[in-house]
């Protein structure tokens, strides 16, 4: 059940953005410190290995757009965070197109959510997800799994990549993912499922030799 | 089915342990962004005003708004051009009186021009009323003896019956109108000015309200009369000052132009002698350099002295209670008549016939002021002293 709309908390993103629009520079500093790490990571992973050098440029442009658009900014249903990621994603699309890469926004989905067949079957041979602070071999395993995941991400089309990152890394609800990507809910859901399926397959292929080594 | 999609814990764990999981922007980049944000926050011009400027330009770029704006600019341009045209025609009035080569009669040179300009102003200001005015002009010959504006009508009602009869019988209504004006001393404006004012008011009404009634075209039927150029100059000055005070008001500018034009019509309108005498005194006071006097055509012209102006003031006072009447028989001025010259041209002639003072203004028929015996002799003596 969705709670009724109420006035934003004094330190909420929306309230801070409003304060910055009225000239409060400290409000912007709070916003920046709150979102800078997640946004930087999102931009870097969305650009991929090939375009990682342009992470700083996209990151800076995104924040400057926030600065310049402060007077016109209105929540209008989307949170500041969603809007911030929308700006970043649009800027990444520009970079992609500028570099000659194809940005296939249509994917293969046509509105009907794709249903995974295997589900969690891909992880049957994996160890359990790590504890919050893994140590030793467990930590080494997951670091290598992380490296592998970044490589798998590079294989995804941009729309699926952004859906996955927003949902799994930045932990936006799917509805917010749809808003950030400026697509319908079902489209976002399908993109996400495609991304997860491909990543599981990619990671499972990685796991087999890894498990052989460990055994 | 849940609204949200379940996150894959394995993929999420892999993301958290990826090599770039702790990556962040370089400190220099963060500083640059924060500095820019602070600078923009301190700059009050960019936040609230930029969108309003932008929205204004966006609004102006719409075809409907742009066409409306262009229309307003065009109206202002036409108004300015009209005002310029009215100002450019000003020097045409400069030779206040010119002798007609065909008749040898001095007529105000600007009267036809002023009439044409008045007609042009009327036609431009209220084209929709043109037909109505034309109809009234067509009817004017039938109604010429019946002037329409209320002040004139009132003055005529107050005038003696014989004066009204003379006015209606004469093709030149100026001299017969003089007694009528003297019968209404309370009215500050002479009938000529009243007619001009009525027409000015009608023009202003026509500009502001096309449906307003239009006075009958008395001015068109009127002949040149006695309002001196100084009044015209004053009217021009007032009109120009008015238009300069509010140059942005288009209607006011048009009304000012109409006033400017119609003020120059004043000499063409009939005026009573008493008003002309007052105007003559004003002209002598304001333009003394242009006026001279002589007694006898073989004597050199002499500048107008204060004594002569004082005598005219005395005459003005003496004439206040006595009506001017047409001089019968008219006769011609004797050689010893006092001639008042404006720019070297004879403008006024004054002479005595017994106790009666006769005054010929320009080429108009002479008028006569019959004074009591003692007062007439005293005035004669005073004139002799003033021009000695």
């Amino acid at each position: 059940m969705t709670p009724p709309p109420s006035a934003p908390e004094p330190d909420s993103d929306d309230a801070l953005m409003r304060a910055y629009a009225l000239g409060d520079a400290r409000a912007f500093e709070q916003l920046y410190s709150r979102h800078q790490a997640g946004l930087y990571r999102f931009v870097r992973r969305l650009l991929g290995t090939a375009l990682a050098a342009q992470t700083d440029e996209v990151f800076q442009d995104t924040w400057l757009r926030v600065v310049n658009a402060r007077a016109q900014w209105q929540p209008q249903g989307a949170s500041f965070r969603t809007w911030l990621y929308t700006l970043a994603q649009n800027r990444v699309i520009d970079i992609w197109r500028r570099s000659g890469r194809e940005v296939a926004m249509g994917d293969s989905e046509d509105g009907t959510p794709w249903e995974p067949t295997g589900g969690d079957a891909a992880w049957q041979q994996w160890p359990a997800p790590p504890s919050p602070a893994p140590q030793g071999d467990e930590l080494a395993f997951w670091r290598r799994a992380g490296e592998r995941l970044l490589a798998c991400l590079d294989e995804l089309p941009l729309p699926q990549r952004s859906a996955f990152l927003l949902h799994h890394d930045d932990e936006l609800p799917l509805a917010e993912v749809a808003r950030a990507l400026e697509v319908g809910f079902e489209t976002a859901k399908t993109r996400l499922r495609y991304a997860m399926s491909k990543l599981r397959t990619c990671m499972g292929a990685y796991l087999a030799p890894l498990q052989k080594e460990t055994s | 089915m849940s609204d949200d999609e379940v996150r894959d814990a394995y993929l999420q764990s892999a993301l958290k342990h990826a090599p770039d999981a702790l990556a962040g922007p370089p400190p220099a980049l963060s500083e640059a962004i924060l500095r820019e944000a602070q600078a923009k926050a301190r700059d009050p011009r960019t936040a609230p005003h930029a969108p309003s400027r932008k929205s204004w330009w966006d609004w102006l770029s719409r075809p409907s708004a742009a066409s409306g704006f262009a229309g307003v600019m065009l109206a202002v341009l036409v108004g300015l051009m009209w005002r310029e045209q009215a100002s450019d025609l000003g020097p045409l009035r400069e030779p206040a009186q010119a002798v007609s080569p065909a008749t040898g009669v001095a007529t105000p040179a600007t009267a036809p021009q002023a009439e044409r300009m008045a007609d042009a102003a009327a036609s431009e200001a209220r084209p929709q009323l043109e037909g109505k005015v034309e109809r009234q002009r067509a009817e004017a010959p039938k109604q010429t003896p019946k002037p329409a504006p209320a002040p004139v009508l009132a003055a005529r009602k107050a005038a003696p019956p014989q004066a009204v009869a003379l006015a209606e019988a004469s093709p030149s209504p100026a001299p017969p109108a003089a007694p009528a004006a003297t019968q209404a001393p309370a009215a500050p404006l002479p009938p000529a000015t009243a007619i001009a004012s009525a027409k000015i008011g009608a023009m202003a009404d026509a500009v502001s309200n096309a449906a307003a009634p239009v006075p009958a075209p008395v001015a068109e039927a009127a002949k040149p009369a006695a309002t001196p150029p100084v009044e015209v100059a004053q009217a021009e000055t007032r009109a120009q000052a008015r238009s300069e005070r509010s140059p942005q008001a288009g209607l006011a500018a048009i009304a000012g132009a109409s006033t400017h034009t119609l003020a120059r019509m004043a000499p063409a309108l009939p005026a009573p002698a008493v008003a002309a005498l007052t105007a003559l005194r004003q002209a002598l006071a304001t333009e003394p350099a242009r006026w001279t006097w002589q007694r006898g055509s073989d004597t050199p012209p002499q500048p107008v002295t204060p004594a002569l102006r004082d005598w005219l003031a005395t005459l003005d006072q003496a004439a206040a209670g006595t009506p001017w009447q047409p001089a019968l028989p008219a006769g011609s001025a004797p050689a010893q008549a006092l001639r008042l010259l404006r720019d070297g041209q004879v403008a006024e002639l004054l002479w005595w016939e017994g106790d009666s003072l006769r005054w010929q203004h320009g080429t108009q028929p002479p008028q006569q002021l019959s004074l009591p015996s003692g007062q007439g002799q005293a005035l004669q003596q005073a004139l002799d002293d003033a021009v000695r």
Side-chain angles (χ1 to χ4, degrees):
Chain A
M1 182 178 156
T2 308
S6 57
E9 295 293 325
D11 59 345
S12 69
D13 290 347
D14 292 351
L16 290 174
M17 188 61 192
R18 252 188 231 111
Y20 175 58
L22 295 173
D24 184 356
R26 283 188 177 181
F28 182 83
E29 289 175 13
Q30 278 186 268
L31 276 175
Y32 183 80
S33 65
R34 192 177 289 177
H35 297 291
Q36 50 96 17
L39 185 70
Y40 191 85
R41 199 167 56 239
F42 172 74
V43 170
R44 180 171 173 151
R45 289 173 175 173
L46 201 56
L47 283 169
T49 311
L51 298 173
Q54 303 197 51
T55 303
D56 288 1
E57 176 192 338
V58 173
F59 179 79
Q60 185 176 20
D61 283 356
T62 302
W63 281 110
L64 291 184
R65 287 183 187 202
V66 171
V67 168
N68 292 327
R70 64 194 183 282
Q72 296 101 320
W73 181 78
Q74 293 290 335
Q76 292 179 347
S79 67
F80 169 80
R81 189 179 174 203
T82 305
W83 176 58
L84 182 67
Y85 282 97
T86 302
L87 294 177
Q89 197 226 195
N90 291 339
R91 191 72 185 92
V92 169
I93 291 173
D94 291 343
I95 298 288
W96 267 57
R97 286 179 173 151
R98 204 166 68 191
S99 67
R101 286 171 170 76
E102 185 184 356
V103 183
M105 303 305 288
D107 302 327
S108 57
E109 64 269 21
D110 56 358
T112 306
W114 174 80
E115 293 293 338
T117 52
D120 287 343
W123 311 116
Q124 284 176 357
Q125 297 182 29
W126 276 56
S131 57
Q135 301 290 326
D137 290 344
E138 189 185 29
L139 179 61
F141 174 84
W142 284 107
R143 280 186 174 167
R144 292 180 70 179
E147 287 176 12
R148 175 66 185 169
L149 183 59
L150 294 183
C152 292
L153 273 175
D154 277 350
E155 304 298 320
L156 288 181
L158 184 64
Q160 295 173 14
R161 197 188 300 189
S162 55
F164 172 76
L165 288 172
L166 289 171
H167 189 257
H168 273 66
D169 193 14
D170 300 300
E171 299 190 340
L172 288 179
L174 193 54
E176 289 295 303
V177 172
R179 284 200 191 96
L181 301 179
E182 298 173 313
V183 295
F185 181 84
E186 296 300 332
T187 300
K189 190 176 187 177
T190 300
R191 287 181 184 179
L192 177 61
R193 287 184 173 179
Y194 268 109
M196 289 168 67
S197 174
K198 289 178 182 176
L199 289 174
R200 282 167 181 158
T201 303
C202 179
M203 294 297 282
Y206 156 76
L207 189 63
L210 186 67
Q211 285 188 327
K212 280 178 189 170
E213 286 175 15
T214 53
S215 62
Chain B
M1 190 178 85
S2 166
D3 279 350
D4 204 358
E5 195 75 1
V6 176
R7 290 177 180 82
D8 191 315
Y10 292 88
L11 294 175
Q12 221 169 6
S13 295
L15 276 174
K16 282 179 182 169
H17 292 89
D20 63 353
L22 299 177
L29 182 60
S30 292
E31 277 183 28
I33 292 169
L34 291 173
R35 203 166 41 242
E36 180 71 13
Q38 286 171 354
K40 290 285 176 65
R42 280 195 299 265
D43 186 1
R45 289 171 302 176
T46 53
H49 299 298
S52 62
R53 272 200 301 269
K54 185 177 184 299
S55 61
W56 192 86
W57 281 111
D58 288 346
W59 173 82
L60 192 60
S61 64
R62 292 180 193 167
S64 57
S67 60
F69 185 71
V72 170
M73 294 302 293
L74 185 64
V76 170
L77 182 65
V78 168
L80 287 173
M81 289 174 68
W82 167 253
R83 190 177 153 205
E84 283 294 317
Q85 185 188 19
S87 300
D88 290 345
L89 289 171
L92 292 175
R93 188 200 56 79
E94 196 55 36
Q97 290 182 337
V99 177
S100 168
T103 62
V105 173
T107 56
T110 59
Q113 180 70 30
E115 205 161 328
R116 280 198 298 274
M117 288 177 63
D119 289 343
S123 62
E124 288 191 22
R126 47 186 167 96
Q128 67 273 34
L129 292 178
E130 191 66 21
K132 193 173 180 180
V133 172
E134 286 300 322
R135 280 197 304 276
Q136 290 182 348
R137 282 182 183 169
E139 293 168 3
K142 304 173 195 170
Q143 301 174 351
T144 302
K146 302 172 184 175
V152 178
L153 199 58
R156 283 173 175 266
K157 281 178 181 175
Q162 68 273 21
V164 175
L166 274 170
E168 293 182 356
S170 169
S172 174
T182 55
Q183 293 292 325
L189 291 176
T193 313
I195 293 170
S197 300
K199 184 146 186 174
I200 291 166
M203 296 294 293
D205 289 345
V207 170
S208 61
N209 182 8
V214 183
V218 176
E220 283 83 354
K223 295 294 181 187
T227 304
V230 64
E231 286 192 351
V232 176
Q234 289 170 349
E236 285 177 358
T237 307
R238 284 195 298 271
Q240 188 173 358
R242 184 162 48 246
S243 63
E244 286 173 359
R245 274 198 303 271
S246 57
Q248 74 281 8
L251 288 178
I254 294 172
S258 302
T259 307
H260 179 83
T261 303
L262 291 166
R264 276 192 250 131
M265 287 182 60
L269 301 175
V274 65
L277 183 57
T278 304
L280 172 62
R281 289 175 51 214
Q282 289 179 355
L284 291 173
T286 55
E287 298 175 309
R290 301 180 70 177
W291 290 88
T292 52
W293 66 269
Q294 64 179 170
R295 249 187 157 174
S297 56
D298 54 346
T299 60
Q302 298 182 44
V304 174
T305 60
L308 181 55
R309 289 206 296 269
D310 291 344
W311 179 81
L312 284 169
T314 307
L315 172 64
D316 202 1
Q317 287 176 352
T322 310
W324 288 84
Q325 292 178 338
L328 295 174
S332 57
Q336 288 304 307
L338 174 66
R339 292 170 169 79
L340 288 171
L341 298 91
R342 186 170 187 269
D343 297 330
Q345 300 283 339
V346 177
E348 318 287 346
L349 280 166
L350 289 157
W351 71 96
W352 292 93
E353 291 283 345
D355 289 332
S356 297
L357 175 66
R358 291 195 172 188
W359 177 22
Q360 185 173 4
H361 172 71
T363 60
Q364 294 176 14
Q367 297 169 68
Q368 179 174 299
L369 182 69
S370 298
L371 295 165
S373 177
Q375 192 175 12
Q377 289 176 1
L379 272 173
Q380 281 189 52
Q381 185 61 45
L383 177 61
D384 291 342
D385 293 342
V387 298
R388 184 169 295 150

